[in-house]
Amino acid sequence: MTNKMATNAKNISALLTGLAKRNYYNEPEFTDDFLKSQIFPDLSDEAYATLLKRCSNYMKNLVSADMDFNQLEAFLTSQMKRREAAMTEEEASAYRKFWKVHKNKIHDTLVSKTNWNNSLKKVSWRIDVKSQSKSAENINEPSAIVELQIENPEESQKTEVVQFEMDESRLAHVLQNMKDIEDQIVQYCQQ
């Protein structure tokens, strides 16, 4: 009965959800003892510790690799083909369902925890053309008006707005800098 209970997809799914709530969603009330008493009350302490370690390790693999669903399938297939302590199809199904529900939320939580600086929330812009000026040479000269909304992660309700104006040459310089940044990112991603 204990082995059947350990491989029950609903129980595995509940355990994974509890671990995710504790480890990623900042809900510390989901302790090991609480999870055991609620999900696996009839499982021996030793069997539960083994199952808990196994589920935690599998979850860490999923999260650290930020696996897409093709990678998940390959990972689960490899775990089911192991000679010792192979994962059952029922367990694999529980991991598939868990990852489908929690992948994006865990990813977003980890990203928000690692964002310690201000972040760009919104960019607005428009083009203005000068119709009046002290000197005739500045008339009909276009300029870009840019507005940036910057959010502090610690004070998410408070956003700072920065506005500035750029002429054509300054805009070209900024766009070239953005292109340089993009080239660097592409270079690092291909390594």
Side-chain angles (χ1 to χ4, degrees):
M1 178 175 165
T2 58
N3 191 26
K4 185 177 181 182
M5 186 176 224
T7 60
N8 182 313
K10 285 184 178 182
N11 290 0
I12 296 292
S13 184
L15 179 60
L16 292 170
T17 299
L19 290 171
K21 286 181 177 187
R22 180 181 69 201
N23 297 339
Y24 302 107
Y25 306 152
N26 200 26
E27 297 182 31
E29 62 271 13
F30 287 90
T31 63
D32 291 344
D33 292 336
F34 175 78
L35 293 172
K36 182 182 185 305
S37 70
Q38 296 299 309
I39 305 168
F40 297 104
D42 297 332
L43 202 59
S44 72
D45 289 345
E46 183 180 318
Y48 177 72
T50 301
L51 178 64
L52 182 66
K53 182 178 180 184
R54 182 175 166 161
C55 287
S56 295
N57 287 339
Y58 286 154
M59 186 184 300
K60 285 178 187 175
N61 285 326
L62 300 177
V63 172
S64 65
D66 193 23
M67 289 186 189
D68 63 27
F69 293 103
N70 291 331
Q71 292 170 318
L72 174 66
E73 267 317 304
F75 175 73
L76 294 175
T77 300
S78 72
Q79 295 307 312
M80 288 188 291
K81 290 183 178 181
R82 290 175 58 177
R83 292 180 193 257
E84 292 183 28
M87 181 184 286
T88 66
E89 179 57 44
E90 196 172 11
E91 289 174 314
S93 176
Y95 281 93
R96 282 184 203 99
K97 289 176 184 174
F98 166 80
W99 197 236
K100 183 177 181 182
V101 171
H102 292 273
K103 178 188 185 319
N104 292 332
K105 188 173 179 185
I106 289 173
H107 174 81
D108 292 346
T109 300
L110 290 175
V111 168
S112 71
K113 286 180 180 179
T114 60
N115 187 8
W116 56 87
N117 283 331
N118 293 340
S119 61
L120 183 60
K121 187 175 180 181
K122 183 179 175 187
V123 176
S124 303
W125 60 273
R126 72 172 194 259
I127 302 296
D128 283 355
V129 178
K130 291 183 182 175
S131 60
Q132 295 181 354
S133 180
K134 291 183 181 179
S135 62
E137 60 195 42
N138 288 339
I139 293 180
N140 294 329
E141 188 175 302
S143 64
I145 309 293
V146 180
E147 180 179 283
L148 308 175
Q149 287 186 6
I150 301 169
E151 182 179 68
N152 184 329
E154 293 158 5
E155 302 173 20
S156 62
Q157 301 300 321
K158 184 179 176 185
T159 59
E160 182 180 345
V161 177
V162 177
Q163 295 177 331
F164 55 93
E165 184 175 351
M166 294 185 286
D167 63 11
E168 187 177 359
S169 65
R170 187 69 187 145
L171 179 59
H173 180 71
V174 168
L175 291 175
Q176 181 57 51
N177 285 341
M178 292 294 171
K179 176 72 173 118
D180 293 344
I181 292 169
E182 180 185 25
D183 292 344
Q184 287 287 317
I185 290 173
V186 168
Q187 179 183 348
Y188 285 115
C189 288
Q190 292 176 350
Q191 291 180 352

